[in-house]
Amino acid sequence: MAGQLNPNLLLIVPLAPLAGSMIAGLFGTKFFGNLIGRKTSHTVTILGVLISFILSLHTLSLVMDGATFNGNLYTWMTVVGLKLEVGFLVDSLTAMMMCVVTFVSLMVHIYTIGYMEEDEGYNRFFSYISLFTFAMLMLVMSNNFLQLFFGWEAVGLVSYLLIGFWYTKPTAIVANMKAFLVNRVGDFGFILGIGLLLAYAGSMDYAEVFAKKEQLATLTLPGTDWMLLTVACICLFIGAMGKSAQFPLHVWLPDSMEGPTPISALIHAATMVTAGIFMVARMSPLFELSDTALSFVLIIGSITALFMGFLGIIQNDIKRVVAYSTLSQLGYMTVALGASAYSVAVFHLMTHAFFKALLFLGAGSVIIGMHHDQDIRNMGGLRKYMPITWITSLLGSLALIGTPFFSGFYSKDSIIEAVHATTLFGSGFANFAVLAGVFVTAFYSFRMYFLVFHGEERFGKEHAHHDDHAHAKAAAHDDHAHGAHHADDDHGHDEHHGLAPGQKPHESPLVVTLPLILLAIPSVLIGFFAIQPMLHGDFFNGVITVNASHGAMAELKEHFHGAVAMAIHGLTMMPFWLALAGVVSAYYCYMINPRVPAWFYKHFHALHTLLENKYYMDKFNEVVIAGGARLLGGGLSRVGDKTLIDGLIVNGSAKVVAWSSRVIRVLQSGYIYHYAFVMILGMLGLLSYFVIFPLFAK
């Protein structure tokens, strides 16, 4: 059934979570006097997201039958002929994103009932995550740059509230500030890109801008020989570098772990970090006209995919291992964008959302079972105590490393093939990065898995760490102190973190494990069923544009013979053997011979220090970026404010007035003969100007 979607039903999709957020945030907090309790707050927010999810599924089914919608719902204002409007563009890309966002958000909402049950900010948290869902839906459903920017900033705003949710904790305050400042850099580039397109296309509507793409491709940036579209696309991508945490604007994402685990899952899996990937895919008609911009995207993604993966190897905080895996997988998505394989990037975005949400919520379940100890060196043997968390975490890890027949395999392997097929500048390095990243991902993922669920039971003891860090400096496993890590999820459960001597872990309640089970199903299956329509069918026809000169997708389609054949063939290919090597290496190093990591630590201490300090990017930002900003601010304060404004303009004008007053007081004596004398001087001046001077001029 082809046709146009009902805009009223579409409007309910973002408004339902907004309504739930308002009820919980206004009436469930001190704002209006705590008029409703916890049960009402989580009920209305979950109901709002559930309605949104059901309508999103309905929308997706209609879109697959050929229905679409592209129209404006409300005109905010008109400025010199430019219409600023609120409207929706709902096609296959939007409908898929709506389903992913609402499903993951629904799982996080249910999970939060158990995870945050003892936190005094319970109602406030539910309000925030519902508002987060509303902002992301407004972003993905937009049909113009104005609404896109609104959703873009709204997602950022709510993320800052959530990262700093425990606002009395110093590490949360720092993480919140870092996220805000880093994203300001990205958003500055983003708004410059939008401004360039508006200035030369004369519109903020996607369709109108895309219609003028050939004209825009002929223009250069004034005063330069730079292609206008190249500059605009790079500026837009800088915005994506901030939101989707690409090097060097990635530094905020690991520190977002300072917020509660449910929001870590929501930020990393389905909302904020996916915004940049979605935006570039939506802008494919523009990016396809600039090979320079695509190469820039390709190289940045390659750096992120490989070098952020290395950082995951040395992490001991369970949430931070998963966080660095997010950075690496976002790099894979970005590489696919640079290779003009936009549909593959979005496909990996979708599969990644499920298994990454699963891994984060699984980590949260482990944290609950371990009485809020997050250090993997204090775990071990949890498999027999937490069987549901164990099996779902294993499924998520297998999906993450790209095991054949799992969802992650189909999307990740397609990215590797697309990169291999592209000929753009930087493709050689990208090909190496994505292949090496397979081994690295498998190694750090299963290092965490083995240390948490297998081997010796290390809980209920003094912190006797047994991995590579133990033999030198047990506490220096990240930029924060060990104790700070253990406080990551301190939300009023108990002053003690970690199991007491003799105490055993316990499986999490059903409200926590049910989302794990429901997320595990698509983590395993959705890639198998979705690869053919999304990559090699007509799912994205008319939505994503790929020029004939960029042949990666054509080559992928040529070699695709079905999901089963692809998985069987994948068992013989290098990515599978690299992943297997990573798993085997992790097992040997941490289960059989833990002396190996200790040897590496001893002989490659400088490299470990480099990784531990995260390539000194935080130090660089602190000294160069923040230091430069402080220097500029100090200079403006001293020179601009104190010297120029206060000194010259304010105080200077006051001094001029005072001097003038003193002079005038002398002249204004009150004697008539003094005034007559001044009049005579004035007349002489006038005569000199009009009579004497002209004579000399001749």
Side-chain angles (χ1 to χ4, degrees):
M1 179 192 81
Q4 184 158 299
L5 298 167
N6 186 336
N8 294 322
L9 283 179
L10 293 177
L11 195 58
I12 295 173
V13 175
L15 291 185
L18 178 62
S21 173
M22 291 177 66
I23 293 170
L26 295 176
F27 301 104
T29 64
K30 294 178 182 179
F31 196 88
F32 279 159
N34 291 308
L35 298 178
I36 61 175
R38 293 186 168 206
K39 188 174 181 179
T40 304
S41 290
H42 73 234
T43 300
V44 295
T45 52
I46 290 173
L47 182 62
V49 177
L50 178 62
I51 293 170
S52 185
F53 173 58
I54 293 170
L55 290 177
S56 296
L57 282 179
H58 176 65
T59 300
L60 179 61
S61 68
L62 295 177
V63 167
M64 292 182 72
D65 287 336
T68 59
F69 181 84
N70 185 13
N72 297 312
L73 304 178
Y74 173 72
T75 300
W76 181 39
M77 66 170 67
T78 302
V79 182
V80 198
L82 175 65
K83 290 185 176 180
L84 303 179
E85 297 170 318
V86 176
F88 291 155
L89 168 59
V90 180
D91 51 23
S92 54
L93 176 60
T94 302
M96 183 276 295
M97 288 294 299
M98 289 162 61
C99 291
V100 170
V101 169
T102 52
F103 178 71
V104 174
S105 178
L106 180 61
M107 296 299 101
V108 168
H109 274 71
I110 296 170
Y111 179 95
T112 297
I113 296 174
Y115 193 86
M116 299 291 287
E117 63 178 344
E118 298 178 24
D119 196 287
E120 60 182 24
Y122 186 89
N123 293 352
R124 177 166 60 94
F125 188 79
F126 271 98
S127 176
Y128 285 172
I129 57 177
S130 277
L131 187 61
F132 205 18
T133 307
F134 158 75
M136 190 65 191
L137 288 168
M138 289 297 289
L139 188 157
V140 300
M141 296 175 72
S142 64
N143 74 339
N144 62 82
F145 286 103
L146 175 68
Q147 189 175 323
L148 175 70
F149 189 74
F150 164 77
W152 195 269
E153 293 302 318
V155 167
L157 172 64
V158 187
S159 75
Y160 311 141
L161 294 173
L162 286 163
I163 294 169
F165 183 78
W166 294 311
Y167 49 81
T168 58
K169 189 169 69 170
T171 51
I173 297 170
V174 172
N176 191 14
M177 183 61 70
K178 183 185 286 189
F180 174 78
L181 292 175
V182 172
N183 274 277
R184 296 287 63 75
V185 176
D187 292 353
F188 180 69
F190 187 57
I191 201 167
L192 283 178
I194 294 174
L196 280 173
L197 294 175
L198 172 61
Y200 289 91
S203 175
M204 298 191 86
D205 186 89
Y206 293 161
E208 293 178 10
V209 173
F210 295 162
K212 296 181 179 180
K213 63 180 182 180
E214 301 298 339
Q215 176 187 338
L216 293 172
T218 63
L219 302 176
T220 58
L221 193 69
T224 72
D225 57 354
W226 299 344
M227 185 177 166
L228 178 71
L229 267 185
T230 297
V231 177
C233 287
I234 288 176
C235 285
L236 290 174
F237 180 67
I238 289 171
M241 287 166 63
K243 281 289 183 290
S244 294
Q246 296 297 291
F247 179 90
L249 302 183
H250 67 280
V251 294
W252 68 271
L253 191 59
D255 286 354
S256 69
M257 301 299 95
E258 295 297 334
T261 295
I263 194 54
S264 300
L266 203 53
I267 287 178
H268 285 245
T271 52
M272 190 167 173
V273 297
T274 66
I277 307 299
F278 166 81
M279 183 273 295
V280 176
R282 176 63 77 196
M283 298 298 129
S284 62
L286 303 180
F287 277 83
E288 280 299 284
L289 297 175
S290 174
D291 283 1
T292 304
L294 288 175
S295 288
F296 182 76
V297 173
L298 186 70
I299 293 169
I300 292 295
S302 303
I303 295 171
T304 307
L306 181 59
F307 290 95
M308 297 304 107
F310 286 143
L311 296 179
I313 296 174
I314 68 159
Q315 303 301 316
N316 293 313
D317 184 301
I318 188 171
K319 286 172 64 177
R320 287 179 182 265
V321 177
V322 186
Y324 279 103
S325 83
T326 301
L327 283 172
S328 181
Q329 297 309 302
L330 286 167
Y332 275 87
M333 298 175 207
T334 304
V335 167
L337 295 172
S340 291
Y342 306 96
S343 56
V344 181
V346 174
F347 182 43
H348 193 52
L349 182 158
M350 179 189 70
T351 61
H352 174 267
F354 298 118
F355 61 72
K356 185 50 55 73
L358 172 60
L359 288 171
F360 262 116
L361 298 186
S365 180
V366 169
I367 292 168
I368 294 173
M370 289 296 299
H371 212 286
H372 303 282
D373 186 351
Q374 297 182 198
D375 197 317
I376 61 178
R377 297 170 297 182
N378 301 329
M379 300 177 187
L382 296 188
R383 176 170 58 96
K384 66 180 180 181
Y385 301 103
M386 307 180 72
I388 298 175
T389 302
W390 161 64
I391 193 65
T392 52
S393 297
L394 175 60
L395 294 174
S397 298
L398 290 171
L400 171 63
I401 69 171
T403 307
F405 292 102
F406 285 74
S407 289
F409 162 76
Y410 293 102
S411 55
K412 198 170 185 177
D413 202 67
S414 297
I415 292 173
I416 294 170
E417 290 181 23
V419 173
H420 185 70
T422 190
T423 57
L424 289 171
F425 176 79
S427 59
F429 171 67
N431 193 49
F432 165 77
V434 295
L435 281 173
V438 172
F439 174 86
V440 173
T441 301
F443 183 85
Y444 69 66
S445 297
F446 275 82
R447 168 183 177 264
M448 179 184 73
Y449 170 78
F450 290 132
L451 287 175
V452 172
F453 295 106
H454 294 271
E456 177 192 356
E457 296 180 3
R458 298 180 297 278
F459 47 81
K461 305 176 182 179
E462 294 297 322
H463 292 175
H465 306 305
H466 296 284
D467 74 345
D468 48 322
H469 299 241
H471 302 275
K473 50 177 187 175
H477 56 280
D478 207 277
D479 56 327
H480 299 292
H482 182 72
H485 281 327
H486 285 199
D488 276 356
D489 277 40
D490 182 9
H491 40 95
H493 290 73
D494 203 310
E495 291 299 320
H496 172 72
H497 291 277
L499 298 170
Q503 192 177 6
K504 300 296 183 183
H506 56 84
E507 183 61 275
S508 300
L510 180 63
V511 75
V512 171
T513 55
L514 179 62
L516 298 181
I517 297 168
L518 293 176
L519 284 166
I521 297 169
S523 297
V524 177
L525 299 176
I526 199 165
F528 180 89
F529 293 104
I531 184 169
Q532 200 285 324
M534 289 187 70
L535 299 194
H536 309 295
D538 57 0
F539 189 79
F540 288 126
N541 279 3
V543 178
I544 289 173
T545 300
V546 180
N547 286 353
S549 59
H550 302 144
M553 288 306 300
E555 188 165 329
L556 259 66
K557 189 172 184 178
E558 183 182 340
H559 292 96
F560 181 75
H561 303 290
V564 175
M566 181 178 176
I568 293 172
H569 181 66
L571 292 170
T572 65
M573 299 301 291
M574 185 179 292
F576 170 73
W577 292 105
L578 286 170
L580 182 61
V583 174
V584 172
S585 299
Y587 184 79
Y588 180 77
C589 289
Y590 296 97
M591 292 291 100
I592 296 177
N593 190 4
R595 291 174 297 177
V596 174
W599 183 89
F600 271 95
Y601 180 83
K602 181 180 178 181
H603 291 84
F604 298 95
H605 183 67
L607 178 60
H608 182 276
T609 302
L610 178 67
L611 295 176
E612 191 173 51
N613 287 280
K614 297 177 285 188
Y615 309 113
Y616 294 96
M617 287 302 303
D618 281 336
K619 182 64 68 175
F620 175 83
N621 289 331
E622 181 183 340
V623 174
V624 178
I625 306 298
R630 286 194 297 268
L631 186 64
L632 178 62
L636 290 173
S637 175
R638 289 189 298 273
V639 179
D641 188 28
K642 294 181 181 178
T643 304
L644 184 61
I645 298 174
D646 287 344
L648 182 61
I649 298 176
V650 177
N651 296 333
S653 60
K655 290 177 180 177
V656 169
V657 170
W659 178 83
S660 302
S661 299
R662 288 195 297 270
V663 173
I664 291 170
R665 277 198 299 270
V666 173
L667 296 176
Q668 293 281 1
S669 64
Y671 294 108
I672 295 177
Y673 60 85
H674 285 172
Y675 299 152
F677 179 69
V678 171
M679 289 176 63
I680 292 169
L681 291 177
M683 291 299 296
L684 287 172
L686 289 172
L687 288 171
S688 299
Y689 183 78
F690 288 108
V691 179
I692 300 174
F693 288 167
L695 292 174
F696 285 106
K698 292 179 180 180

